Amino acid sequence: MILTPETLAQLPESILTLPYDRKTVTPGIAHLSVGNFHRAHQAVYVDRALALPGQETWGIVGMGVLDHPSEIAKAEALQSQSGLYTLRECPPNRPDTVRVVKSLVEYVHAPSDRKAALHRLTDPAIRIVTMTITEGGYYTDENGRFMTDNPVIAADIHREIPETVFGLLAEALRLRRDAGTAPFTILSCDNVPANGDIARNAVLSFAKLRDATLAEWIGQNVAFPSCMVDRITPAVRAEDIQRLDAESGIDDRAPLYCEDFIQWVVEDKFPNGRPAWEQTGVLFTDDVEPYERVKLRMLNASHSMLSLPGVLMGYRFVSEAMQDDHLFRLLQQFLGWDAEPHLTAPPGISLPDYGALLLERFRNPAVNDQLLRITSDSTSKLPVFVRPTAEAVVKENGDMRRIAFLLACYCAYLGGRDDTEAFYDITEPRLSDADRTLVTAADPARALDMTVFAGWGLTDNPAFVNLFVAMRTALKTDGTAATLANLVSQPADATVTA
């Protein structure tokens, strides 16, 4: 059965859909960069809201922002299905659930028609713009400054219709201001600390480069709430599409799958209105930061702690790597000895219980997330996820072995070949040529001068530098598995010295 609005009424009873008339839904949200995570997370919450009375004006206009063949193919697939797609939710110990998500009611590929994208963003009906543009998509340096001298930004400033996300947002807000249309709220849904503040800084910085009065108007009139998002959503390969369609019995060109766990914590700052998300499982709070901090430093950091050595050991899937006792113990030790002692739990959360739940989620074989998806763009991820814990541990001269091991694995991972001599693709768009030279320098310690580690204070601690060099040497001479086995077999040590 081909998935179209006309075939919704003919779906098998096993396929779930929420009971609302999609024909009555109109867009109130534009989402920039419609990746799998958005479709498994925010679009699901919007789908739930649309099933409530009086919520029909909160449909989603999806907006692709990358000029890439895969993005064009995704746009064509979703447009051919009027934005419909199937989502398979995979609990660890129960049967999967398949549902059709109906909240994406329109799709625009901005690089194919930038005027159309800008036109949609100026529509008064659009009151919220959400975005998932990845951790590295904010053109922000290690000090939190917007990269105004970045060649992409420098070129975009002079375009009539900007092509970057922040250029597009600034221009849409200018047109709305000039037309007397209320501004939309901008909600970043990326794994970035204080993502609302980061998004605000990026939009204001770009606007100021084009028009200082526009930047002032945006600063006074546009809301940038922060939020924390959580749901493990693997990449979907061609073979996954065949498997998912065969299991559902639906011919879907854009299916996806994810775990059954889902969480969204949002700062309630929407002056132009929002969906009734509080009735759909969203937690609204005045302070997102404690929830965000726990998630980034525990879940996302643990993902890096697992995936980088896991790839080097020849594993390619999370649940497979989690069956390795030494990797499992590494995560237990990192969470219990490194991350949790440097965190304060938000109300209602037990850090040990949260850590145990993470390990259970990672072990879910039904999700089968790809390690190389997680390792991709580690150059952007490590400063966000790992740096705060690393700084704390190194500053207090504590047990720095797991941090040293992780960063040594990152350097080894950049070589593109695992311990079985198998090659793998490296996706590191923000790794400079100068950094590549440092990571291959004869002196292993030179890697700590890479941009990714700027500001961490690692080279100020001789004991850490010695540990890092020792870990790099051990990975090269003994291999990742043996180095890891030796690491996790040792007890906690609070006073590592040079």
Side-chain angles (χ1 to χ4, degrees):
M1 177 186 296
I2 298 175
L3 184 60
T4 67
E6 293 71 31
T7 60
L8 279 177
Q10 305 168 27
L11 295 174
E13 292 185 0
S14 60
I15 308 298
L16 304 180
T17 58
L18 289 175
Y20 63 88
D21 184 357
R22 195 168 185 259
K23 294 178 183 178
T24 68
V25 175
T26 56
I29 301 170
H31 183 83
L32 304 184
S33 193
V34 186
N36 287 351
F37 179 78
H38 165 71
R39 295 196 292 134
H41 190 272
Q42 296 98 36
V44 170
Y45 281 107
V46 174
D47 197 44
R48 293 176 181 177
L50 291 171
L52 300 171
Q55 297 294 301
E56 62 276 358
T57 62
W58 289 112
I60 302 172
V61 175
M63 199 166 290
V65 297
L66 298 178
D67 192 5
H68 188 274
S70 64
E71 289 293 304
I72 296 172
K74 178 169 60 180
E76 292 173 347
L78 288 170
Q79 288 167 346
S80 72
Q81 298 173 178
S82 299
L84 298 170
Y85 58 91
T86 54
L87 173 65
R88 177 174 290 270
E89 296 168 322
C90 308
N93 300 308
R94 302 190 309 277
D96 295 350
T97 297
V98 180
R99 66 178 68 251
V100 173
V101 179
K102 304 186 293 182
S103 55
L104 186 64
V105 296
E106 187 180 335
Y107 196 96
V108 177
H109 183 240
S112 300
D113 193 342
R114 299 192 187 279
K115 287 186 178 180
L118 189 59
H119 177 73
R120 293 307 285 121
L121 291 174
T122 59
D123 185 341
I126 301 300
R127 287 156 284 166
I128 299 173
V129 174
T130 57
M131 56 185 177
T132 46
I133 57 175
T134 76
E135 297 81 12
Y138 287 81
Y139 296 97
T140 300
D141 65 18
E142 64 274 10
N143 297 312
R145 291 191 294 261
F146 188 68
M147 299 176 182
T148 56
D149 57 349
N150 183 285
V152 175
I153 298 299
D156 211 38
I157 294 167
H158 303 290
R159 293 191 177 101
E160 180 180 356
I161 300 179
E163 298 179 3
T164 65
V165 164
F166 302 109
L168 193 61
L169 290 173
E171 180 64 10
L173 287 168
R174 182 188 70 80
L175 292 171
R176 291 175 78 109
R177 179 201 62 178
D178 294 351
T181 302
F184 42 65
T185 295
I186 297 177
L187 177 63
S188 168
C189 300
D190 282 299
N191 286 317
V192 179
N195 49 19
D197 293 339
I198 296 296
R200 184 179 192 275
N201 179 58
V203 173
L204 288 177
S205 297
F206 187 95
K208 189 174 183 179
L209 292 171
R210 283 169 68 97
D211 181 350
T213 61
L214 174 62
E216 183 178 358
W217 182 85
I218 292 173
Q220 294 174 351
N221 294 278
V222 179
F224 294 84
S226 291
C227 76
M228 184 276 281
V229 298
D230 191 3
R231 187 169 228 188
I232 296 173
T233 308
V236 177
R237 303 160 299 173
E239 55 266 37
D240 291 318
I241 293 177
Q242 295 177 358
R243 172 180 62 85
L244 293 169
D245 284 359
E247 292 171 348
S248 70
I250 297 176
D251 184 2
D252 180 1
R253 294 175 60 185
L256 67 154
Y257 66 109
C258 62
E259 64 175 337
D260 62 326
F261 179 91
I262 187 169
Q263 185 180 29
W264 200 5
V265 182
V266 184
E267 182 182 11
D268 201 355
K269 192 167 63 175
F270 294 83
N272 206 18
R274 61 166 175 77
W277 280 324
E278 74 280 359
Q279 299 182 46
T280 69
V282 176
L283 173 63
F284 283 97
T285 178
D286 293 332
D287 188 7
V288 172
E289 198 271 339
Y291 299 90
E292 175 186 79
R293 184 170 59 239
V294 167
K295 191 256 181 174
L296 295 178
R297 297 193 197 180
M298 293 184 69
L299 186 151
N300 296 108
S302 292
H303 254 162
S304 294
M305 186 67 75
L306 173 71
S307 62
L308 287 165
V311 165
L312 293 174
M313 293 165 69
Y315 297 120
R316 292 297 178 265
F317 297 97
V318 170
S319 58
E320 174 190 32
M322 286 295 289
Q323 297 304 310
D324 187 296
D325 183 60
H326 293 146
L327 282 171
F328 185 80
R329 289 167 61 189
L330 174 68
L331 295 198
Q332 283 184 314
Q333 292 175 7
F334 170 73
L335 289 168
W337 296 348
D338 302 331
E340 292 174 22
H342 298 100
L343 284 168
T344 300
I349 291 183
S350 160
L351 295 181
D353 290 347
Y354 181 79
L357 176 61
L358 291 181
L359 298 181
E360 180 181 336
R361 291 167 62 190
F362 291 175
R363 279 187 135 169
N364 184 350
V367 176
N368 217 25
D369 201 1
Q370 301 95 347
L371 290 176
L372 286 171
R373 179 191 76 84
I374 299 169
T375 59
S376 66
D377 202 15
S378 285
T379 305
S380 295
K381 292 175 179 177
L382 291 177
V384 176
F385 304 152
V386 177
R387 175 178 173 173
T389 300
E391 284 182 323
V393 172
V394 171
K395 184 177 181 180
E396 66 189 18
N397 208 43
D399 186 348
M400 301 176 285
R401 291 170 299 165
R402 284 166 296 279
I403 301 298
F405 173 73
L406 172 63
L407 302 192
C409 286
Y410 164 72
C411 295
Y413 150 79
L414 295 176
R417 185 166 62 180
D418 66 26
D419 292 353
T420 72
E421 299 299 318
F423 290 91
Y424 51 82
D425 292 332
I426 302 171
T427 306
E428 294 296 331
R430 293 163 183 85
L431 187 69
S432 68
D433 290 340
D435 287 336
R436 294 178 192 276
T437 299
L438 287 170
V439 81
T440 57
D443 179 2
R446 289 296 310 283
L448 293 176
D449 294 325
M450 295 169 66
T451 306
V452 63
F453 304 132
W456 292 36
L458 303 177
T459 55
D460 295 334
N461 188 318
F464 179 83
V465 175
N466 291 341
L467 275 173
F468 175 74
V469 171
M471 288 294 182
R472 291 200 70 184
T473 302
L475 290 175
K476 188 173 182 179
T477 58
D478 303 332
T480 310
T483 304
L484 173 61
N486 180 61
L487 170 62
V488 299
S489 67
Q490 300 176 29
D493 181 358
T495 55
V496 177
T497 58

